Amino acid sequence: LDLYAANQMQVVGYTSEKPPLVRPSTGFFRTPEEDDEGRTTWRACCAFASAVLMDALAADVRFRPRDKARVLWEIMSVVLILQDLTLIPVQIAWDFDPNRLAVCFSLVFWTLDILFNFNTAVVHDGEIRTSFKFVAKHYIRGRLLLDAFLVLIDAATLLQPADSESADWLRPMRIIRGLRILRAVKLVHFQENLIEFLMDHGVEQVVLVFALSRTLATVFTIAHFIACGWYLLGRHLESERPGGSWLSYVDSEHEPGILPMYTHCAYWTLGHLIGGEVNPAIAPHTYIERAYTVSMVGLSLVVIGVNISQMTNAIADLQRANLEATDLRRRLSHVLRASNADSDLSARVMRFGMYVFRRKTTLALQTTIKGLLSSALAGELTLSQRSPYLSAHPLLASIRGRFPEVYLCLCESFEAHIFAEADVIFREGSMLESLYVTIHGGFRLDCHAHRHTGMMRGPSESSSNGTPVGKSRLVEGLTMSGIHFICEASLFAPMTSRSVFRTTSFADALTLGAEDFANCVAKSPKCVVKVYKYAAEFIRKINRTQAMAAETIDFEHVPISVSKEIIDKLEGGGRTDSSILHTASESSACMTSKDKTAKILRRIRDGSMSEHCHLSAELPKAFEELKCPDGIYEGLNMQAERSRAMNAMMSVIWLLQDRYDLFTACQRPRDRLSEELWSDIRSFVAWAGLSDKLVHAMLVFLAIRGIGKAPPLLRAMPRDERTPEDVLTTMMNNPTGRLPSFEALGPEERSLLEEAISIHKSFNFAQMLQGENMPYHIAVLRNRVDSHGDQVFKFYMVSLLGVMCGLRGSETTEGSMFMDHGNASTLMAGVHALQHLRQASPRSIFWSYIGERAAMVGLPFTSLEDLAIARLACLTRAKRPDLGYIKAEWARLSRNERETLVRHLVDDGLHAPSLVLTFLPSYLTNSMANKSVGLYRALFVLLELMETIAHNGHLSRSDCQVLQVSLQDLADFTASVESPRVFMAIPGYISFACKHGRLDCVVSAKHKERCADLNWSDDPTNEMRVVIRRMERRMSVMGSELERLQRKASVPTFAI
């Protein structure tokens, strides 16, 4: 313990010059040296306990819910619960103590049950969770308090004295003892597990019989409780006033004991529950007994009604379970009668039809069930159904372990076939093109012996000694049942059958064609190599065996031992020279690629490679995604994204090398990035403090980021995950060689890259620069940075700088065309604001950036309306000449309309649910560019849309703090509309579609057709609705203005 504690002290940071040994004190008081040693030992013990606890929390539990030990324990617990349900009411009613040995056993069992529950995995959201920490948290939040309370009751019962003197004050304890019945809630969990187990094994009839039995057991349990309560009531009344209960009318002297009295009570209870006869001798005689009886009559109605309903449902379920089989029998009978089939044929057809009905769900998923599942779940079910049969073959078992995607494809490619008795599967002389896997039933292979026959020879060829191979004789056949693999060689080479394969009973088998086998194996080049080696060795071995033997009879049925021997040879120590050379070449190629990347990075670091021509030629060699024409960008036809990626990487390299001349080579002189801004950007990059490994990771990020925008990849994602970040995350988490640059990174760099992409998904820096975001998004960014760390944040910011430098890379890669003086000023204003993410509040960061943008164009920044106009200028991407137009259009709005827009534009989303209008900059800039619309009409329509959203309750029904509303469709419509009347009527032709937690603003297709119609007039009904809504808003404005004037003049208002 001392040694372990000393080691743990070093781990947790405690140090001491002396070893933490415990020495006995010489007296009552301890010396200072002994106190120091005692504290050291106490710290060591704490460290030891902490280490043991951390190890336990990090470990996995030992038992699964369906392990044999756990199932046996559950059965024992059910037996004990049923015993309690039976005995506890009797013990309370007849007032006798339980057997102390039974109570001791119950205490030990249920205490161990608590420990067992802490060590048993739980099913959460369809997933088996085995983490001890999760299991413990789940159990503590669930049944632990109840289980511990009931164990304490057992302990108190065991400690209860048995002497009569203490019986009076312990009588309430006997009532509390009855709370152990609460363990019956465990029966619900056991019942759910039992039904799930029975359904998994396809015994629906047993489930329904169990449901009927459960209903009857519930009735008798309630009757048992009522009977014991009836006797307890009578005994209580008799003790208070002798002769005042029904017990005084029962001759207990002739029928002493518990059983006769319990029989009386049970007879009385069942009589009331089922409306039968009741013994008049034990009829109620007091008002309390009559009240109890009336309650029982009411309870009988409820119990009988509920249980009749449950039994009816169970019987209906049983009938529905047999309905399909009954319907099949009926249809077969109808067909047989119409065909005038004799009785023997009818019986065989009926038996085979029912056999097919029972076996079809075992062999393959039904179409209706498959349609309900995703392709992944359907594949896993198919794998679970067929893997027990297919994995018996050594080759398929090897493929399963090394190439799971190929094995899944093979499982799905097998076709199920069901045969009747004496069906011929293939005959002698027929071409064999499939592998047959027998599963159930009897089969027989009648083979013909050929002398000195090679397996690949045709029927007309002769053997080496001139003996005709066409002559054969029938030999004794092979009868088989269970799992066998027939005609395996047909997967590798064309074959002509020399046997007859038939069934001897109803049977079923799986078949796999040679073409399907080849298509599945082709999914993995390494699997192709493995199967090719296996096939060559398999055919060579079979041919050699036949040449050495005088005759062979069953090459269609090759023993499994032959395949196992070949697989052991290939996977064991028997590696051929070619495989060694192949592995060496792969390793050499991998090392060459890594060396090439490292060499290029060294040249970038020392500045020897900076010219555009050199970077254009060398970057695709280090980052294979950029290769032309073999890279993934070229394969996805994304040449523009490839150019942007190349330009972004070159811009970052020029920043690191301080090549201002190359960075600004393509910029116009009047817009060229100033040297002061260049120094500011360089200072920002230096602030990030990126190491060589992080620079490599950043270049990888810039190289692969555009791949996530590929339309084919986005369409392949689930509907709620169709973002570029989700595509990249999926590709990075499932390495398939598609992202070689990412796979070449180290584990830390991969993790950093994944975290940066995760941050980018929750916070879009470009949207902040346009004023599209709000302080809420900065708060989200701060939370993500708190969880991931500052280094990830700095890496993310510099990476985004590179992305923005390459936005116009599709036009030219000879310099950063986008990062001119104006765009760089905007960018650095946002960067400087976010550099204070840790120190300032989200509101301060956001509005400091907006204020900086306002100062750039000369806007005031003192009132709330000034803040709103400044943000509107950011949203419209306005420059100084545009400010006069924006202010004039803003002034055309009424006072109330401006106040509504101000409230929206200055909303932070931190304290109340808010709207975030995505694509709002596109909508506003398109309106300003379209003379038929203008900014005033765009703001007016925007107000009506916001009122519609509020009126429909979308914001109040949303579970999120911020509700995103996409205006993309409206922005596109605004750019193309040519009639002001058509545009102003748009609020009546917009619908909102809720998709994955956001609202999509959709313009009706009919209204889009009117874009170029200058003479269009709105439908009078719709126009009247829009006019009324606008009049209501104007009346509200007038009312607000009138109230303001009245308050100003201090004139009292009078009710009209």
Side-chain angles (χ1 to χ4, degrees):
L1 175 62
D2 287 335
L3 179 60
Y4 186 87
N7 293 334
Q8 292 302 321
M9 285 171 57
Q10 294 178 5
V11 172
V12 299
Y14 293 111
T15 58
S16 177
E17 296 179 357
K18 298 181 180 180
L21 299 176
V22 181
R23 299 177 181 175
S25 177
T26 57
F28 184 80
F29 296 101
R30 299 172 62 89
T31 64
E33 292 79 6
E34 290 175 332
D35 284 340
D36 292 341
E37 293 179 358
R39 283 193 294 270
T40 303
T41 305
W42 171 250
R43 292 173 178 175
C45 292
C46 291
F48 174 76
S50 175
V52 172
L53 179 61
M54 294 303 295
D55 290 343
L57 291 177
D60 288 341
V61 296
R62 294 188 57 186
F63 300 102
R64 299 294 182 97
R66 291 192 181 181
D67 287 349
K68 290 183 179 179
R70 183 64 195 178
V71 172
L72 290 175
W73 190 267
E74 289 286 345
I75 293 174
M76 291 177 61
S77 65
V78 169
V79 172
L80 289 180
I81 291 172
L82 293 178
Q83 174 187 327
D84 286 346
L85 289 177
T86 304
L87 294 181
I88 288 176
V90 177
Q91 293 168 1
I92 295 175
W94 273 267
D95 196 16
F96 67 89
D97 293 328
N99 184 279
R100 301 183 72 83
L101 182 61
V103 174
C104 183
F105 177 79
S106 175
L107 175 62
V108 173
F109 179 86
W110 293 115
T111 303
L112 293 177
D113 182 70
I114 293 177
L115 301 178
F116 218 145
N117 290 332
F118 271 113
N119 209 22
T120 303
V122 297
V123 180
H124 182 73
D125 292 338
E127 179 185 0
I128 297 180
R129 306 294 292 272
T130 59
S131 170
F132 177 80
K133 183 178 180 181
F134 182 86
V135 171
K137 185 184 297 183
H138 184 272
Y139 183 49
I140 291 172
R141 292 178 177 177
R143 304 195 317 265
L144 177 62
L145 290 180
L146 177 61
D147 291 348
F149 174 69
L150 296 177
V151 167
L152 290 177
I153 291 178
D154 284 336
T157 303
L158 188 63
L159 297 175
Q160 174 183 339
D163 57 314
S164 58
E165 296 179 358
S166 60
D168 294 335
W169 69 272
L170 284 174
R171 184 165 293 135
M173 186 62 199
R174 295 172 179 170
I175 304 299
I176 297 176
R177 208 166 55 209
L179 294 178
R180 291 185 297 163
I181 295 176
L182 293 176
R183 287 199 181 102
V185 298
K186 292 177 176 287
L187 293 176
V188 178
H189 180 67
F190 177 79
Q191 167 193 318
E192 294 174 353
N193 290 340
L194 180 60
I195 291 177
E196 183 180 354
F197 175 80
L198 295 175
M199 293 296 291
D200 288 347
H201 288 74
V203 284
E204 291 86 353
Q205 291 79 4
V206 178
V207 174
L208 299 174
V209 172
F210 171 75
L212 292 173
S213 304
R214 179 192 59 194
T215 302
L216 294 175
T218 304
V219 173
F220 283 110
T221 302
I222 293 175
H224 174 66
F225 276 73
I226 295 173
C228 294
W230 179 243
Y231 181 80
L232 178 63
L233 177 64
R235 188 168 60 82
H236 175 71
L237 295 176
E238 188 70 20
S239 64
E240 290 185 350
R241 189 180 64 180
S245 73
W246 64 271
L247 286 175
S248 59
Y249 298 92
V250 177
D251 190 4
S252 59
E253 296 181 357
H254 291 83
E255 295 180 340
I258 296 177
L259 184 60
M261 297 305 298
Y262 178 79
T263 306
H264 281 296
C265 297
Y267 177 71
W268 176 85
T269 302
L270 291 174
H272 282 289
L273 285 178
I274 65 177
E277 296 182 359
V278 179
N279 186 2
I282 59 174
H285 295 83
T286 65
Y287 76 94
I288 297 178
E289 293 175 345
R290 284 190 289 271
Y292 188 86
T293 305
V294 170
S295 302
M296 292 310 98
V297 173
L299 180 63
S300 67
L301 296 176
V302 175
V303 170
I304 292 174
V306 170
N307 285 278
I308 288 177
S309 174
Q310 292 180 351
M311 294 181 67
T312 303
N313 292 335
I315 294 172
D317 291 339
L318 183 61
Q319 291 176 346
R320 280 193 295 268
N322 297 324
L323 181 62
E324 190 174 354
T326 304
D327 182 63
L328 177 61
R329 289 193 186 95
R330 181 183 58 78
R331 288 189 282 114
L332 285 176
S333 299
H334 178 73
V335 171
L336 292 172
R337 285 196 303 269
S339 303
N340 296 322
D342 57 25
S343 58
D344 181 62
L345 177 61
S346 298
R348 287 190 289 119
V349 170
M350 189 66 71
R351 287 198 304 270
F352 181 69
M354 298 311 299
Y355 176 82
V356 173
F357 172 75
R358 291 192 303 270
R359 294 291 298 170
K360 63 181 181 180
T361 55
T362 306
L363 298 176
L365 289 177
Q366 297 183 11
T367 306
T368 54
I369 299 298
K370 195 171 183 178
L372 297 175
L373 305 176
S374 65
S375 57
L377 286 178
E380 290 184 18
L381 278 179
T382 303
L383 190 69
S384 177
Q385 278 184 327
R386 297 178 175 180
S387 188
Y389 312 119
L390 304 183
S391 58
H393 193 282
L395 175 62
L396 297 178
S398 178
I399 292 176
R400 178 184 183 182
R402 294 174 177 266
F403 312 102
E405 69 282 357
V406 176
Y407 184 75
L408 176 60
C409 181
L410 288 173
C411 288
E412 294 176 340
S413 299
F414 271 91
E415 295 182 2
H417 298 275
I418 300 178
F419 304 101
E421 185 179 0
D423 277 357
V424 177
I425 301 175
F426 58 78
R427 300 180 182 275
E428 181 183 8
S430 59
M431 290 297 298
L432 299 178
E433 298 178 349
S434 298
L435 165 68
Y436 295 87
V437 183
T438 64
I439 295 176
H440 183 267
F443 296 86
R444 182 179 177 84
L445 186 66
D446 293 323
C447 306
H448 289 73
H450 294 253
R451 296 188 56 83
H452 304 286
T453 306
M455 177 177 158
M456 305 303 295
R457 294 191 181 113
S460 60
E461 297 180 5
S462 299
S463 63
S464 58
N465 60 1
T467 304
V469 299
K471 294 182 180 181
S472 63
R473 60 184 178 84
L474 183 66
V475 300
E476 184 178 357
L478 175 65
T479 302
M480 64 187 75
S481 62
I483 302 175
H484 293 269
F485 296 87
I486 309 299
C487 304
E488 179 185 352
S490 65
L491 296 177
F492 315 127
M495 290 179 55
T496 301
S497 171
R498 293 176 296 182
S499 306
V500 179
F501 189 44
R502 60 168 58 90
T503 59
T504 59
S505 65
F506 292 161
D508 39 66
L510 298 173
T511 64
L512 176 65
E515 184 177 354
D516 294 332
F517 178 74
N519 292 335
C520 293
V521 172
K523 291 181 176 294
S524 172
K526 294 183 179 180
C527 187
V528 171
V529 174
K530 182 182 183 66
V531 172
Y532 176 80
K533 294 178 181 179
Y534 173 85
E537 184 67 20
F538 183 84
I539 294 176
R540 184 186 63 81
K541 196 174 187 66
I542 296 302
N543 279 333
R544 185 176 60 182
T545 302
Q546 290 182 348
M548 294 175 59
E551 58 185 27
T552 182
I553 60 173
D554 59 350
F555 73 82
E556 285 95 345
H557 181 235
V558 179
I560 290 294
S561 58
V562 176
S563 300
K564 190 175 187 309
E565 180 182 351
I566 298 173
I567 290 296
D568 291 342
K569 179 180 178 181
L570 294 177
E571 294 184 351
R575 293 178 60 187
T576 62
D577 295 339
S578 60
S579 65
I580 296 175
L581 291 175
H582 182 69
T583 305
S585 63
E586 285 184 347
S587 176
S588 176
C590 181
M591 292 301 297
T592 301
S593 178
K594 290 184 177 179
D595 292 343
K596 191 176 297 184
T597 302
K599 180 179 178 181
I600 293 175
L601 291 174
R602 282 196 303 270
R603 293 182 61 189
I604 291 174
R605 185 172 59 253
D606 60 25
S608 61
M609 187 175 67
S610 57
E611 297 298 330
H612 177 267
C613 57
H614 294 160
L615 292 175
S616 299
E618 296 297 327
L619 285 179
K621 296 178 182 179
F623 304 92
E624 297 183 17
E625 295 85 358
L626 303 173
K627 283 186 176 180
C628 184
D630 300 328
I632 188 172
Y633 282 103
E634 293 292 331
L636 294 171
N637 196 25
M638 300 177 66
Q639 290 81 6
E641 284 298 329
R642 177 186 178 276
S643 299
R644 294 189 186 99
M646 290 280 291
N647 190 223
M649 298 170 70
M650 292 179 186
S651 300
V652 168
I653 292 171
W654 291 327
L655 274 170
L656 295 173
Q657 296 176 345
D658 196 12
R659 293 302 302 268
Y660 173 77
D661 55 335
L662 296 176
F663 188 90
T664 60
C666 61
Q667 297 178 6
R668 292 180 297 183
R670 63 177 183 179
D671 299 326
R672 181 171 296 163
L673 178 68
S674 65
E675 294 187 5
E676 291 79 9
L677 268 178
W678 172 258
S679 300
D680 194 12
I681 296 175
R682 291 257 308 157
S683 299
F684 163 64
V685 175
W687 165 80
L690 301 180
S691 63
D692 291 346
K693 291 184 177 181
L694 295 186
V695 171
H696 182 198
M698 181 175 60
L699 293 177
V700 171
F701 172 78
L702 298 176
I704 68 174
R705 179 182 173 274
I707 299 173
K709 301 178 182 180
L713 300 180
L714 289 170
R715 288 194 297 268
M717 296 291 293
R719 291 186 178 274
D720 56 341
E721 297 180 2
R722 290 184 176 178
T723 65
E725 294 77 20
D726 289 322
V727 171
L728 285 178
T729 302
T730 301
M731 296 181 71
M732 289 188 296
N733 292 334
N734 298 277
T736 58
R738 302 286 180 87
L739 297 176
S741 299
F742 173 77
E743 295 173 15
L745 294 173
E748 295 182 0
E749 289 74 31
R750 289 190 189 186
S751 176
L752 183 73
L753 193 53
E754 292 174 354
E755 292 170 355
I757 292 176
S758 173
I759 291 178
H760 186 61
K761 183 180 178 181
S762 59
F763 177 80
N764 193 315
F765 181 57
Q767 290 180 352
M768 175 188 165
L769 296 180
Q770 297 181 108
E772 191 174 351
N773 279 351
M774 53 199 326
Y776 166 82
H777 296 92
I778 299 178
V780 171
L781 175 63
R782 173 185 283 179
N783 293 334
R784 300 303 296 269
V785 172
D786 289 340
S787 60
H788 293 301
D790 289 337
Q791 186 60 63
V792 178
F793 173 62
K794 294 177 180 179
F795 175 85
Y796 163 72
M797 292 296 295
V798 178
S799 300
L800 284 188
L801 169 64
V803 170
M804 301 189 73
C805 288
L807 286 180
R808 297 182 66 179
S810 58
E811 302 176 35
T812 180
T813 57
E814 296 184 359
S816 176
M817 180 173 285
F818 177 82
M819 198 56 64
D820 56 12
H821 186 83
N823 290 328
S825 300
T826 302
L827 172 70
M828 293 312 296
V831 166
H832 291 321
L834 288 180
Q835 281 182 312
H836 299 88
L837 186 66
R838 292 285 196 179
Q839 296 81 22
S841 66
R843 286 177 57 91
S844 300
I845 294 172
F846 181 81
W847 290 111
S848 66
Y849 165 71
I850 299 296
E852 184 68 22
R853 290 288 304 275
M856 289 180 185
V857 294
L859 282 174
F861 202 70
T862 56
S863 64
L864 283 180
E865 188 167 357
D866 291 340
L867 268 64
I869 295 176
R871 188 179 176 194
L872 183 62
C874 293
L875 289 168
T876 55
R877 303 160 188 168
K879 299 184 183 300
R880 192 178 293 268
D882 302 323
L883 295 181
Y885 171 75
I886 292 175
K887 291 180 179 180
E889 296 291 279
W890 177 267
R892 292 179 61 184
L893 296 170
S894 67
R895 180 186 182 88
N896 188 269
E897 290 169 345
R898 291 197 300 270
E899 289 177 353
T900 302
L901 281 175
V902 167
R903 284 195 299 270
H904 170 73
L905 291 172
V906 302
D907 193 6
D908 55 16
L910 296 173
H911 307 293
S914 307
L915 290 177
V916 173
L917 305 177
T918 59
F919 294 94
L920 180 59
S922 300
Y923 168 67
L924 295 176
T925 53
N926 289 345
S927 67
M928 292 172 63
N930 191 339
K931 296 181 179 180
S932 301
V933 180
L935 183 59
Y936 166 74
R937 293 189 179 94
L939 294 176
F940 192 87
V941 169
L942 184 64
L943 281 169
E944 294 193 343
L945 292 181
M946 293 166 58
E947 288 182 358
T948 303
I949 294 172
H951 178 74
N952 293 340
H954 292 297
L955 188 59
S956 59
R957 291 195 303 267
S958 176
D959 297 331
C960 304
Q961 181 71 15
V962 169
L963 176 62
Q964 289 191 4
V965 182
S966 175
L967 303 182
Q968 183 176 10
D969 199 33
L970 177 60
D972 296 339
F973 178 82
T974 304
S976 59
V977 67
E978 298 180 7
S979 170
R981 183 186 292 270
V982 171
F983 178 79
M984 292 301 289
I986 200 171
Y989 297 94
I990 277 184
S991 61
F992 294 95
C994 185
K995 294 182 180 179
H996 316 302
R998 73 170 192 270
L999 284 180
D1000 284 351
C1001 178
V1002 181
V1003 182
S1004 68
K1006 185 176 181 181
H1007 200 62
K1008 289 180 180 178
E1009 296 175 356
R1010 305 166 181 152
C1011 280
D1013 190 353
L1014 300 177
N1015 299 319
W1016 175 82
S1017 59
D1018 197 1
D1019 177 64
T1021 304
N1022 185 70
E1023 187 176 12
M1024 184 61 66
R1025 184 165 56 249
V1026 174
V1027 170
I1028 290 175
R1029 188 162 60 244
R1030 291 174 181 171
M1031 290 179 62
E1032 289 176 350
R1033 187 167 66 249
R1034 289 177 181 174
M1035 291 178 65
S1036 176
V1037 172
M1038 293 174 63
S1040 301
E1041 189 67 19
L1042 181 60
E1043 291 179 1
R1044 186 182 65 83
L1045 293 175
Q1046 288 174 341
R1047 286 194 301 270
K1048 185 176 181 181
S1050 299
V1051 177
T1053 58
F1054 300 95
I1056 298 177

